[in-house]
Amino acid sequence: MQPLLLLHGAIGSMDQLIPLRDELSTEFDVYSFNFPGHGGTEPFESFSMDAFAKATADFIKTHQLKNLPVFGYSMGGYVALYLESMYPSTFQKVITLGTKYEWSEEIAAKEIKMLRPDVIEQKLPAFAQQLANRHGAMEWKNVLDKTAAMLLGLGKHPLLSSAVLQKITCPTLVLLGEKDNMVSTEETQNAAAALVNGQYELLPNTAHPIEQISVSTLAEKIKNFCLRH
C-alpha cells in the first residue's frame, strides 16, 4: 500500500491521530511520530520549526518512505510545507487542516496567552490533566513554555511567506474548519492561492480541536485527494 505520514499539532501528540490512522489504514500504510519533546519523548532543549522539520526528514529517511503524501494538522501542516519548501519533492502531496499561515509579533502574543500553564491549571483543570497524561506530569508545562517561545520566534520571523509558498509545486489541499476560531478564512485562502497547485476546501460545522473533527469526513477528504487526483 501507499505510505501516508500524519503530523500532529502544537502541544499535541501522535496519539491524537490514532482514530484517523485507523480510518485510513485500509487504504494506506500509515506512519506517524511525536515531534521532539512531545508525547512523553525525551525533553528537547528548545522547539523550532527547523527542529521539527529535521525530525520529520529523519523519520522519512529512517523508514525509507518514497512517493509520500503527508497530512499535517495545525502546526504539523506548517512543518510539512516548510520542509517541502526547503527540500522540494520530499512529499508527493500535502494536506493541511487548521494550519495558521499568518504570523506576526501581535498574532504570536495573542496566541501564547492560551499557553499559560498556571491559567490552564486554574481554569481548565481537565485540560491540564490531559496535557499531563499526554506529555508527562513533570514535562507538560515545559512543552507549553517551549511552544510559546517558538511561536514568539515565528511571529518575529514567519517562515511561510507568499514568496516561499509560491516555490512549492506539489499538489496541496488546504483545509479549514468552518467553525475554526484560531485560523482565519482569509489567511487560509491566501495560502492556497499562493501555492502553485493549491486547493482550498472548507469543512462544514468543524471547529479547530482535532478531537472535535469528524474522522470519517476528514479521512474521505484525504483519500480522495491522495488516490483520485
Side-chain angles (χ1 to χ4, degrees):
M1 286 191 288
Q2 181 179 24
L4 172 67
L5 179 62
L6 308 180
L7 300 178
H8 69 77
I11 70 171
S13 73
M14 61 184 287
D15 288 351
Q16 292 175 291
L17 299 172
I18 289 175
L20 181 61
R21 181 197 68 191
D22 292 345
E23 191 81 14
L24 291 165
S25 61
T26 58
E27 303 285 347
F28 300 95
D29 190 7
V30 185
Y31 293 82
S32 59
F33 70 98
N34 287 316
F35 287 125
H38 292 72
T41 58
E42 291 185 13
F44 200 71
E45 184 175 346
S46 64
F47 292 176
S48 70
M49 291 296 168
D50 284 299
F52 297 160
K54 181 181 184 302
T56 304
D58 289 345
F59 183 88
I60 292 169
K61 182 178 180 180
T62 297
H63 291 83
Q64 299 181 323
L65 302 177
K66 307 290 184 183
N67 300 317
L68 179 68
V70 59
F71 167 75
Y73 165 69
S74 195
M75 180 190 74
Y78 203 100
V79 172
L81 286 174
Y82 179 53
L83 179 57
E84 180 66 20
S85 74
M86 292 191 297
Y87 300 101
S89 300
T90 295
F91 299 115
Q92 181 194 65
K93 294 179 180 179
V94 176
I95 305 106
T96 71
L97 171 62
T99 296
K100 186 155 193 64
Y101 290 96
E102 182 181 357
W103 287 96
S104 67
E105 291 186 67
E106 182 180 4
I107 289 172
K110 179 182 177 182
E111 292 294 321
I112 67 170
K113 289 180 180 178
M114 298 182 285
L115 296 175
R116 289 180 54 186
D118 56 335
V119 174
I120 291 174
E121 276 188 313
Q122 182 180 358
K123 296 186 176 181
L124 299 167
F127 184 45
Q129 187 59 54
Q130 285 180 19
L131 291 170
N133 292 341
R134 184 180 302 156
H135 303 295
M138 303 300 292
E139 188 60 24
W140 72 272
K141 295 180 182 180
N142 288 331
V143 169
L144 266 63
D145 289 342
K146 292 172 184 176
T147 301
M150 178 183 71
L151 296 185
L152 287 174
L154 198 58
K156 292 179 180 179
H157 303 288
L159 300 173
L160 293 181
S161 63
S162 291
V164 172
L165 290 174
Q166 287 167 10
K167 296 178 182 178
I168 297 172
T169 59
C170 69
T172 303
L173 177 60
V174 181
L175 298 171
L176 177 67
E178 181 184 24
K179 296 184 176 181
D180 194 320
N181 58 9
M182 294 184 65
V183 182
S184 72
T185 302
E186 182 181 13
E187 69 183 286
T188 309
Q189 289 178 328
N190 287 343
L195 291 158
V196 174
N197 287 305
Q199 176 183 332
Y200 165 79
E201 284 191 38
L202 193 67
L203 294 183
N205 198 34
T206 301
H208 187 83
I210 188 72
E211 292 84 1
Q212 297 178 27
I213 293 166
S214 168
V215 173
S216 59
T217 298
L218 177 56
E220 195 62 28
K221 293 288 185 184
I222 294 171
K223 290 176 186 178
N224 286 341
F225 189 71
C226 291
L227 300 176
R228 299 171 193 170
H229 285 70

